[in-house]
Amino acid sequence: MSVKEATGNDAGTQSPDEASADGLDQAAKPAKAGKDDSRTDMVGKALGLLVLLGDEPRGASASELSRRAELPFSTTYRLLGSLTRDGFVDYEPEGRRYHLGLRIFQLGQRVSNHHGFAGTALPILRRVTEQTGEATILSVRDGHHHLTVNKVDGPQTFRVTSDPGHLGALHTTSVGKALVAFAEEGERERLLDELPLEPLTSLSITDRDAFRAEIDQVRRQGYAVMDEENELGMRAVAVPVLNSQGVAFASLATAVPVFRLSMEALVALVPLLQAAAAELAARLPQR
């Protein structure tokens, strides 16, 4: 198979060094060992590259991805070529950088529609934003992170940066705290014990006992706040979106710059958010 066939026309031309590395990589492979396992492993490696690209809004080069994924350059180059050919990745020839492709966006929209985040949730979020004049954010938990699945910006010029697809910390955000506090009991305890408490600002909670106390308070009061713990100059309040067992499958937040609303004024929006969360719980598929 030629380089062009392996990588697709959009992946660029392979240099002699890359071709040499490719040959070594091929030579290092066992002749007939675990063919099915090898294919499965390559799928996992390709998915890993997509995840890494998702963390790089400005894109990344093949060498950068190879280093971060801890894969041989030739393997990374071939996988990127296949992903580019099928539309999962875009290649920018000028900067020799790769970006997530429109095929990923298409699949993401289908997932969003399946869970009701677009058709069902969006009108509710818009209504909240109309009443608050501020950004409304809907998030779900993805492992040790929260994933923004929908957002409606307010009419103000100052824009919240947590766009759909954004992965954020659980311990520094109001949406994350609400998801932890109202997780199933065993899962909540696991998160309280294992969650990395890395500081994002000087106000981030990094002490495990302090974080446990914060989560206990969130459970008692029914809402979570963030006061410049995730991003200086921003604060937010969030409520859980609960299933019939009282477990959060999403969380809903209002986020504002600190100069626009005090924490007291922000907390005063909790009843509005709770009413919207109850409506979301009744309409969204619960997972």
Side-chain angles (χ1 to χ4, degrees), residues 1-17:
M1 179 180 289
S2 69
V3 171
K4 183 177 290 187
E5 290 170 333
T7 60
N9 292 335
D10 293 333
T13 302
Q14 194 176 38
S15 70
D17 288 344

Side-chain angles (χ1 to χ4, degrees), residues 116-238:
F117 296 136
T120 302
L122 193 55
I124 299 173
L125 270 62
R126 283 175 176 157
R127 190 165 68 245
V128 173
T129 290
E130 287 172 2
Q131 295 179 65
T132 65
E134 303 293 348
T136 307
I137 300 167
L138 182 65
S139 289
V140 298
R141 187 166 69 85
D142 183 5
H144 283 180
H145 297 84
H146 77 82
L147 171 67
T148 302
V149 293
N150 219 322
K151 183 190 76 166
V152 175
D153 278 313
Q156 309 282 358
T157 55
F158 195 94
R159 184 175 176 274
V160 175
T161 56
S162 181
D163 290 319
H166 169 76
L167 278 175
L170 291 174
H171 68 296
T172 61
T173 58
S174 62
V175 286
K177 292 176 190 176
L179 289 167
V180 173
F182 291 91
E184 185 273 329
E185 183 178 1
E187 184 68 4
R188 180 172 67 252
E189 288 301 315
R190 187 185 69 80
L191 290 169
L192 288 171
D193 288 339
E194 300 177 3
L195 198 64
L197 302 180
E198 299 174 357
L200 294 183
T201 76
S202 60
L203 298 173
S204 300
I205 298 176
T206 57
D207 178 79
R208 200 159 296 280
D209 289 338
F211 183 59
R212 182 178 287 273
E214 176 88 354
I215 294 303
D216 287 343
Q217 181 177 345
V218 172
R219 285 187 61 78
R220 287 194 304 272
Q221 64 193 17
Y223 64 88
V225 298
M226 181 279 293
D227 199 1
E228 300 191 86
E229 300 155 57
N230 189 68
E231 182 180 351
L232 292 176
M234 294 298 299
R235 58 173 53 116
V237 62

